[in-house]
């Protein structure tokens, strides 16, 4: 995924402005060189921004702005780059304004200035900047959630306790109530605070964030037993939660309760929900900007750093992602997850040794999720025996059965050829999580590939595809089921869809080649098998494709199964 660029036009005349002084045109040679330099900086900045390299983009575009003297178009682009790079003070200085600035740029600029005001302790100014409709769509929700915290910093207690509302926005309703609970506590109106905390944790599956918030409040009120009960309920729903485990251990040991959030910390929390909403809505550039604003308010917000890392990793900025993943420190609840993501970034680039080294270091802390990550990496690197051993330890230690552990161990055992044990684990996982698409697909596909329990397997894969209709892997399983049942026409149809979605997957391309051969499309089959060899297949798939190409006889006659 690449960062979506804001609409922009850059006529040469804007950049050539640096070639003219108040006393008239400069020397033509000097003017041309200056214009070329400014334009070169502008092009380099745009290229860096398009590729997700926000730090470089900010540097190049700011140089282009300074050299060209343009304080509108190029400055707006420099503002965007600085914001995405996390240089919020700089971005606030460059915030677009005036008739030449775009309306979207001005709205984001106003929000940035308000955040910078809160970050520098200027609550009254921030309150004015967030008032009314100055910050409109699509930032209205973020502004509404920030406003009470600006009021609190300004000393306007009554305004800080007004629950924010944006019509039709459940995110503002939910996180506005969470903020109100904290602000009631800040105002020492504890009964009203608890009413809000109870409301946001009263559903069947409250978020971990709100459970930790209410539990912290209970601990601060000296009600450790109630907090432990709340954490236990949360762990019953999410037994592997590092944050809940740490909170329960703290409360049980009678250690100091976590402090209530400061104004800046509360404002940072308020920015996280809109950030996640924007990223989920494919508005990634805005989501990243919100995360950067949150981190300006609270640089220790580790969950925000993980979200930044995930976004940059997806955008292709590997170095930026690694820098973000490196921010959580040992001992923090997010450290294990951060190290796991860091390890996988190296694994994906083919540096398996570094990946496993990082994963082992994280696992050495004893963190269950870090140990699970190590087992996953070992399985990916075909060290199945150690992976199975680690997973067995985790299954034995779990307070409640975790389907993920059985699924992972079943997958590793399957690769080792220990199918009866693998099948038992996979069925145990399915019993715990009967609607999980990945699990349905894995077990269903394996049965299909083995020619076993075809009717049941077909139904499982169809259910998985219905849940994830854009998953090439799942549609491949369905296509292969049709192949194994001898319905080659249907197999071709599904496998073509799968290849469209996962064009670089060697196994799916290999399956499509087999299906083409069986319907008489032999030239296309040969093309697919040749393509398989360009896609870094594993040894088994490579040998199969090479055999078919060398023999000219196509796939081995499938042993058809009946439903």
């Amino acid at each position: 995924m690449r960062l979506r660029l804001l609409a922009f036009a850059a006529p040469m005349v804007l950049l050539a402005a640096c070639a003219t002084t108040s006393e008239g045109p400069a020397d033509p040679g000097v003017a041309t060189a200056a214009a070329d330099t400014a334009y070169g900086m502008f092009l380099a900045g745009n290229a860096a921004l398009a590729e997700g390299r926000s730090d470089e983009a900010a540097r190049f575009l700011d140089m282009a702005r300074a050299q060209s003297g343009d304080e509108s178009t190029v400055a707006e682009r420099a503002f965007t780059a600085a914001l995405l790079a996390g240089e919020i003070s700089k971005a606030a200085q460059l915030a677009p304004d005036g008739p030449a600035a775009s309306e979207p740029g001005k709205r984001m600029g106003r929000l940035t200035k308000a955040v910078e005001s809160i970050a520098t302790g200027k609550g009254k100014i921030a309150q004015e900047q967030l008032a009314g409709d100055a910050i409109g769509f699509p930032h209205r929700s973020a502004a509404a959630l920030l406003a009470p915290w600006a009021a609190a910093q300004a000393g306007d207690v009554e305004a800080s306790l007004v629950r924010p509302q944006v019509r039709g926005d459940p995110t503002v309703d939910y996180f506005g109530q969470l903020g109100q609970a904290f602000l009631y506590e800040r105002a020492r109106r504890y009964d009203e605070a608890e009413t809000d905390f109870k409301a946001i944790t009263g559903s069947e599956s409250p978020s971990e964030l709100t459970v930790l918030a209410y539990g912290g409040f209970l601990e601060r009120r000296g009600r450790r037993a109630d907090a432990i009960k709340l954490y236990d309920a949360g762990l019953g729903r999410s037994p592997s939660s590092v944050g809940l485990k740490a909170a329960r251990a703290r409360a049980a040991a009678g250690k100091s309760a976590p402090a209530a959030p400061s104004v800046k910390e509360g404002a940072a929390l308020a920015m996280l929900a809109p950030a996640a909403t924007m990223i989920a809505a494919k508005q990634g550039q805005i989501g990243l900007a919100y995360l950067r604003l949150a981190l300006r308010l609270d640089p220790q917000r580790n969950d925000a750093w993980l979200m930044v890392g995930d976004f940059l990793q997806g955008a292709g900025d590997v170095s930026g992602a690694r820098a973000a993943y490196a921010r959580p420190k040992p001992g923090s609840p997010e450290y294990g997850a951060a190290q796991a993501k860091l390890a996988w970034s190296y694994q994906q680039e083919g540096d398996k040794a570094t990946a496993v080294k990082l994963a082992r270091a994280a696992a050495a802390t004893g963190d269950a999720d870090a140990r699970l990550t190590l087992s996953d990496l070992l399985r990916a690197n075909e060290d199945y025996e150690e992976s199975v051993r680690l997973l067995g330890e985790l299954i034995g230690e779990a307070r409640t059965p975790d389907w993920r552990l059985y699924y992972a161990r079943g997958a590793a055992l399957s690769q080792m050829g220990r199918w009866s044990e693998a099948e038992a684990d996979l069925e145990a996982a399915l019993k715990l999580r009967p609607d999980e698409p990945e699990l349905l697909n894995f077990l269903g596909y394996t049965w299909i590939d083995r020619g076993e329990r075809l009717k049941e397997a077909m139904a499982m894969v169809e259910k998985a595809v219905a849940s994830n209709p854009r998953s090439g892997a799942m549609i491949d399983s369905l296509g292969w089921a049709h192949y194994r049942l001898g319905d080659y026409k249907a197999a071709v149809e599904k496998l073509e869809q799968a290849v469209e979605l996962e064009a670089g997957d060697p196994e799916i391309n290999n399956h499509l080649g087999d299906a083409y051969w069986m319907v008489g499309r032999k030239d296309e089959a040969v093309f697919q098998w040749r393509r398989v060899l360009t896609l870094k297949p594993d040894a088994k798939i490579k040998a199969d494709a090479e055999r078919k190409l060398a023999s000219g006889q196509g796939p081995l006659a499938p042993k058809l199964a009946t439903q």
Side-chain angles (χ1 to χ4, degrees), residues 398-522:
R399 295 174 61 193
T400 56
D402 188 336
W403 71 272
R404 299 178 307 160
L405 301 178
Y406 288 101
Y407 176 27
R409 189 172 71 174
L413 288 166
S414 176
Q415 291 293 328
M416 296 173 73
R418 294 162 58 179
W419 175 242
S420 60
E421 297 169 79
E423 188 175 38
D425 271 352
L426 294 168
E427 288 186 308
L430 190 63
K431 185 176 180 180
L432 292 168
R433 190 85 164 199
D435 297 320
E436 176 58 41
E438 290 290 341
L439 180 54
L440 288 165
N441 181 65
F442 186 91
L443 181 55
Y445 174 82
T446 306
W447 276 337
I448 289 164
D449 202 42
R450 293 174 61 87
E452 299 171 0
R453 302 169 69 164
L454 266 293
K455 183 176 181 179
E456 184 180 356
M458 176 72 86
M460 290 165 63
V461 173
E462 287 175 338
K463 185 176 181 180
V465 170
S467 297
N468 289 274
R470 299 291 297 172
S471 169
M474 293 182 184
I475 295 173
D476 169 64
S477 298
L478 187 55
W480 199 239
H482 286 298
Y483 182 91
R484 293 303 300 266
L485 290 167
D487 188 351
Y488 303 121
K489 181 179 178 181
V492 167
E493 179 184 344
K494 293 299 180 184
L495 292 168
E496 284 180 335
Q497 291 178 23
V499 166
E500 286 181 7
L501 293 166
E502 299 284 350
D505 188 296
E507 186 169 29
I508 298 175
N509 280 273
N510 196 37
H511 284 167
L512 180 57
D514 289 3
Y516 277 153
W517 185 276
M518 299 306 291
V519 296
R521 295 165 62 175
K522 296 186 176 181

Side-chain angles (χ1 to χ4, degrees), residues 49-126:
L49 192 58
E51 295 174 6
R53 294 178 282 114
S54 303
D55 289 345
E56 291 181 40
R59 185 171 70 255
F60 285 131
L61 288 168
D62 194 40
M63 286 191 288
R65 178 193 62 81
Q67 291 185 28
S68 69
D70 173 48
E71 294 298 329
S72 56
T73 312
V74 178
E76 186 165 338
R77 200 63 165 170
F79 159 75
T80 299
L83 178 59
L84 296 179
E87 298 176 10
I88 306 305
S89 297
K90 182 72 171 179
Q93 294 173 6
L94 296 172
D97 202 359
S102 71
E103 189 58 35
K106 286 191 281 189
R107 291 173 183 174
M108 179 62 89
R110 291 166 190 149
L111 181 65
T112 301
K113 284 182 174 180
V115 167
E116 182 64 14
S117 294
I118 296 174
T120 53
K122 301 171 184 175
K124 288 186 178 180
I125 294 175

